[in-house]
């Protein structure tokens, strides 16, 4: 069972899917530390929203590609909110789209460093306390892109496929300690990341004939982080209106 004072860290929580996850997890009783990189105002707004609903939250600055900042962010989450960090949502992500033949090293590196290596380093750091506590919940925000091809996103697909592979294997390593590690794989969700690319053609390819909302991803993350999902680990939950069916 999750202790009452448990803290969950949500990366990229100032907007979009991350902010929706932070709100949903606070509603479910987690104290939420959300990280931001460039938008302190957005992060502060999410904190205010949570507090207005009776929850507890704090905002922490973190660039997930900064290896030296990871341990301090996890520690700050626990000390600021006064509880053990027993949850982690690796949500921070970027895309830098191009055809594989044209992707330069910078566009490759930033996408892999943010979406995959950052998630690995945070998980490695957070798992230590979770294993000691014999309770933990890690949810990685992957994508349908990776398991499914999407021309122009080879770097993003490599990162998100890697994240799913990492999820599966790391989950098996800590399962006996009461720690679960799962992924969600959103399809097209209405956020800043997809602004301008959700034209009619893209929507027509989705069986549900609409884009998803951040709250629909957050509901799945909330479930995977809950006590009720204690026997679910190493899996990927697609949240995509049937796109990958
Ligand atoms: P968004 O662009 O609104 O949010 C991305 C968040 O990641 C922002 O808060 C941003 O500041 C943060 N971030 C980016 N680089 C960072 C870094 N180096 N360090 C710390 N934070 C960083 O986009 P959205 O849609 O909310 O994306 C959230 C996650 O969902 C991402 O991992 C994305 O790949 C994934 N996703 C989104 C889909 C969509 O259709 N919107 C579909 C599938 C996956």
């Amino acid at each position: 069972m999750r202790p009452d004072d448990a803290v969950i860290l949500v990366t990229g929580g100032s907007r979009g899917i991350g902010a929706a996850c932070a709100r949903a997890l606070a509603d479910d009783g987690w104290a939420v530390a959300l990280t931001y990189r460039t938008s302190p105002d957005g992060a502060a707004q999410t904190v205010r929203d949570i507090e207005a609903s009776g929850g507890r939250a704090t905002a922490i600055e973190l660039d997930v590609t900064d290896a030296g900042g990871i341990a301090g962010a996890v520690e700050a989450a626990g000390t600021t909110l006064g509880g053990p960090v027993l949850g982690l949502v690796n949500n921070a992500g970027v895309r830098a789209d191009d055809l594989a033949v044209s992707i330069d090293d910078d566009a490759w590196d930033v996408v892999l460093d943010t979406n995959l290596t950052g998630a690995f380093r945070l998980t490695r750091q957070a798992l230590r306390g979770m294993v000691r506590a014999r309770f933990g919940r890690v949810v990685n925000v992957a994508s349908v892109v990776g398991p499914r091809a999407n021309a122009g996103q080879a770097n993003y697909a490599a990162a998100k496929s890697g994240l799913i592979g990492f999820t599966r294997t790391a989950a098996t390593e800590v399962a006996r300690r009461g720690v679960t590690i799962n992924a969600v794989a959103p399809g097209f969700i209405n956020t800043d990341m997809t602004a301008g690319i959700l034209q009619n053609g893209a929507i027509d390819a989705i069986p549900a004939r609409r884009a998803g909302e951040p709250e629909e991803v957050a509901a799945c993350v909330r479930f995977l982080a809950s006590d009720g999902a204690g026997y679910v680990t190493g899996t990927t939950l697609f949240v995509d209106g049937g796109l990958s069916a």
Side-chain angles (χ1 to χ4, degrees):
M1 290 284 281
R2 184 182 80 209
D4 287 344
D5 58 352
V7 174
I8 194 162
L9 186 71
V10 181
T11 64
S14 61
R15 65 180 200 216
I17 292 170
C21 288
R23 287 191 293 265
L25 291 161
D27 273 353
D28 205 34
W30 288 92
V32 179
L34 53 101
T35 77
Y36 65 92
R37 183 183 46 141
T38 53
S39 175
D41 294 348
Q45 184 59 53
T46 310
V47 170
R48 280 196 297 275
D49 291 347
I50 289 171
E51 289 174 344
S53 307
R56 293 200 306 129
T58 191
I60 296 170
E61 186 175 4
L62 175 68
D63 182 333
V64 300
T65 66
D66 171 19
I70 300 280
V74 174
E75 192 184 335
T79 51
T80 309
L81 290 165
V85 179
L86 298 180
L88 171 66
V89 179
N90 285 306
N91 165 78
V94 287
R95 61 185 182 89
D97 300 350
D98 212 334
L99 298 175
V101 71
S102 303
I103 293 174
D104 64 23
D105 285 354
D106 287 347
W108 178 267
D109 289 344
V110 71
V111 171
L112 271 289
D113 287 352
T114 308
N115 296 279
L116 181 57
T117 308
F120 154 65
R121 289 194 181 121
L122 272 154
T123 304
R124 180 176 60 184
Q125 183 67 34
L127 277 180
R128 293 174 183 148
M130 295 179 189
V131 164
R132 266 198 309 276
R134 302 188 82 83
F135 180 90
R137 296 283 187 268
V138 179
V139 184
N140 295 318
V141 181
S143 173
V144 288
V145 175
R148 190 173 184 274
N150 195 27
Q153 291 199 305
N155 48 359
Y156 188 80
K160 295 301 193 184
S161 291
L163 189 57
I164 289 172
F166 172 70
T167 299
R168 292 166 71 100
T169 289
T172 65
E173 295 171 357
V174 293
R176 80 188 73 170
R177 307 285 185 160
V179 178
T180 68
I181 308 181
N182 291 289
V184 291
F188 285 107
I189 309 298
N190 275 317
T191 68
D192 291 357
M193 187 177 274
T194 49
I197 63 169
L198 286 173
Q199 293 103 356
N200 289 339
I203 297 296
D204 287 349
I206 304 168
R209 295 291 187 274
R210 66 174 179 86
E213 297 303 324
E215 290 71 22
E216 294 178 299
V217 180
C220 297
V221 171
R222 172 181 169 152
F223 166 67
L224 291 171
S226 70
D227 283 336
Y231 203 54
V232 181
T233 197
T235 198
T236 299
L237 178 52
F238 288 79
V239 193
D240 64 358
L243 190 60
S244 59

PDB file of all heavy atoms in Angstrom, residues 89-101:
ATOM      1  N   VAL A  89       6.919   9.905 -12.831  1.00  0.00           N
ATOM      2  CA  VAL A  89       6.344   9.889 -14.178  1.00  0.00           C
ATOM      3  C   VAL A  89       7.334  10.581 -15.104  1.00  0.00           C
ATOM      4  O   VAL A  89       7.560  11.785 -15.002  1.00  0.00           O
ATOM      5  CB  VAL A  89       4.973  10.602 -14.226  1.00  0.00           C
ATOM      6  CG1 VAL A  89       4.416  10.583 -15.661  1.00  0.00           C
ATOM      7  CG2 VAL A  89       3.989   9.955 -13.262  1.00  0.00           C
ATOM      8  N   ASN A  90       7.957   9.790 -15.962  1.00  0.00           N
ATOM      9  CA  ASN A  90       8.897  10.341 -16.934  1.00  0.00           C
ATOM     10  C   ASN A  90       8.108  10.815 -18.150  1.00  0.00           C
ATOM     11  O   ASN A  90       7.833  10.051 -19.069  1.00  0.00           O
ATOM     12  CB  ASN A  90       9.923   9.268 -17.335  1.00  0.00           C
ATOM     13  CG  ASN A  90      10.953   9.027 -16.275  1.00  0.00           C
ATOM     14  OD1 ASN A  90      11.601   9.969 -15.820  1.00  0.00           O
ATOM     15  ND2 ASN A  90      11.100   7.783 -15.854  1.00  0.00           N
ATOM     16  N   ASN A  91       7.723  12.094 -18.088  1.00  0.00           N
ATOM     17  CA  ASN A  91       6.865  12.669 -19.128  1.00  0.00           C
ATOM     18  C   ASN A  91       7.613  13.620 -20.053  1.00  0.00           C
ATOM     19  O   ASN A  91       7.208  13.802 -21.202  1.00  0.00           O
ATOM     20  CB  ASN A  91       5.709  13.403 -18.447  1.00  0.00           C
ATOM     21  CG  ASN A  91       4.972  14.321 -19.392  1.00  0.00           C
ATOM     22  OD1 ASN A  91       4.158  13.876 -20.209  1.00  0.00           O
ATOM     23  ND2 ASN A  91       5.261  15.624 -19.322  1.00  0.00           N
ATOM     24  N   ALA A  92       8.688  14.252 -19.568  1.00  0.00           N
ATOM     25  CA  ALA A  92       9.379  15.251 -20.392  1.00  0.00           C
ATOM     26  C   ALA A  92       9.773  14.642 -21.734  1.00  0.00           C
ATOM     27  O   ALA A  92      10.313  13.538 -21.788  1.00  0.00           O
ATOM     28  CB  ALA A  92      10.622  15.757 -19.664  1.00  0.00           C
ATOM     29  N   GLY A  93       9.498  15.365 -22.794  1.00  0.00           N
ATOM     30  CA  GLY A  93       9.840  14.845 -24.116  1.00  0.00           C
ATOM     31  C   GLY A  93       9.900  15.945 -25.146  1.00  0.00           C
ATOM     32  O   GLY A  93       9.287  17.004 -24.977  1.00  0.00           O
ATOM     33  N   VAL A  94      10.664  15.691 -26.174  1.00  0.00           N
ATOM     34  CA  VAL A  94      10.736  16.616 -27.312  1.00  0.00           C
ATOM     35  C   VAL A  94      10.749  15.811 -28.604  1.00  0.00           C
ATOM     36  O   VAL A  94      11.068  14.622 -28.606  1.00  0.00           O
ATOM     37  CB  VAL A  94      12.022  17.480 -27.291  1.00  0.00           C
ATOM     38  CG1 VAL A  94      11.965  18.539 -26.217  1.00  0.00           C
ATOM     39  CG2 VAL A  94      13.273  16.620 -27.172  1.00  0.00           C
ATOM     40  N   ARG A  95      10.399  16.505 -29.676  1.00  0.00           N
ATOM     41  CA  ARG A  95      10.597  15.907 -30.998  1.00  0.00           C
ATOM     42  C   ARG A  95      11.401  16.871 -31.843  1.00  0.00           C
ATOM     43  O   ARG A  95      11.363  18.091 -31.606  1.00  0.00           O
ATOM     44  CB  ARG A  95       9.263  15.556 -31.650  1.00  0.00           C
ATOM     45  CG  ARG A  95       8.343  16.737 -31.893  1.00  0.00           C
ATOM     46  CD  ARG A  95       6.993  16.258 -32.433  1.00  0.00           C
ATOM     47  NE  ARG A  95       6.114  17.392 -32.712  1.00  0.00           N
ATOM     48  CZ  ARG A  95       6.080  18.035 -33.890  1.00  0.00           C
ATOM     49  NH1 ARG A  95       6.845  17.667 -34.883  1.00  0.00           N
ATOM     50  NH2 ARG A  95       5.272  19.064 -34.056  1.00  0.00           N
ATOM     51  N   ALA A  96      12.142  16.344 -32.794  1.00  0.00           N
ATOM     52  CA  ALA A  96      12.923  17.166 -33.734  1.00  0.00           C
ATOM     53  C   ALA A  96      12.877  16.410 -35.059  1.00  0.00           C
ATOM     54  O   ALA A  96      13.770  15.644 -35.396  1.00  0.00           O
ATOM     55  CB  ALA A  96      14.351  17.343 -33.236  1.00  0.00           C
ATOM     56  N   ASP A  97      11.760  16.605 -35.773  1.00  0.00           N
ATOM     57  CA  ASP A  97      11.417  15.710 -36.879  1.00  0.00           C
ATOM     58  C   ASP A  97      12.205  15.996 -38.153  1.00  0.00           C
ATOM     59  O   ASP A  97      12.437  17.147 -38.524  1.00  0.00           O
ATOM     60  CB  ASP A  97       9.916  15.838 -37.205  1.00  0.00           C
ATOM     61  CG  ASP A  97       9.024  15.470 -36.021  1.00  0.00           C
ATOM     62  OD1 ASP A  97       9.542  14.937 -35.028  1.00  0.00           O
ATOM     63  OD2 ASP A  97       7.804  15.715 -36.120  1.00  0.00           O
ATOM     64  N   ASP A  98      12.566  14.924 -38.820  1.00  0.00           N
ATOM     65  CA  ASP A  98      13.161  14.995 -40.156  1.00  0.00           C
ATOM     66  C   ASP A  98      13.240  13.560 -40.683  1.00  0.00           C
ATOM     67  O   ASP A  98      13.086  12.608 -39.901  1.00  0.00           O
ATOM     68  CB  ASP A  98      14.571  15.607 -40.083  1.00  0.00           C
ATOM     69  CG  ASP A  98      14.903  16.392 -41.349  1.00  0.00           C
ATOM     70  OD1 ASP A  98      14.334  16.069 -42.412  1.00  0.00           O
ATOM     71  OD2 ASP A  98      15.721  17.319 -41.264  1.00  0.00           O
ATOM     72  N   LEU A  99      13.477  13.420 -41.963  1.00  0.00           N
ATOM     73  CA  LEU A  99      13.704  12.081 -42.501  1.00  0.00           C
ATOM     74  C   LEU A  99      15.055  11.575 -42.001  1.00  0.00           C
ATOM     75  O   LEU A  99      15.992  12.364 -41.809  1.00  0.00           O
ATOM     76  CB  LEU A  99      13.670  12.119 -44.028  1.00  0.00           C
ATOM     77  CG  LEU A  99      12.332  12.567 -44.623  1.00  0.00           C
ATOM     78  CD1 LEU A  99      12.446  12.687 -46.144  1.00  0.00           C
ATOM     79  CD2 LEU A  99      11.214  11.596 -44.239  1.00  0.00           C
ATOM     80  N   ALA A 100      15.161  10.275 -41.814  1.00  0.00           N
ATOM     81  CA  ALA A 100      16.394   9.706 -41.250  1.00  0.00           C
ATOM     82  C   ALA A 100      17.618  10.151 -42.034  1.00  0.00           C
ATOM     83  O   ALA A 100      18.675  10.422 -41.454  1.00  0.00           O
ATOM     84  CB  ALA A 100      16.295   8.182 -41.225  1.00  0.00           C
ATOM     85  N   VAL A 101      17.461  10.278 -43.321  1.00  0.00           N
ATOM     86  CA  VAL A 101      18.603  10.649 -44.161  1.00  0.00           C
ATOM     87  C   VAL A 101      19.095  12.065 -43.853  1.00  0.00           C
ATOM     88  O   VAL A 101      20.245  12.403 -44.149  1.00  0.00           O
ATOM     89  CB  VAL A 101      18.232  10.484 -45.665  1.00  0.00           C
ATOM     90  CG1 VAL A 101      17.237  11.551 -46.111  1.00  0.00           C
ATOM     91  CG2 VAL A 101      19.455  10.464 -46.560  1.00  0.00           C
TER      92      VAL A 101
END
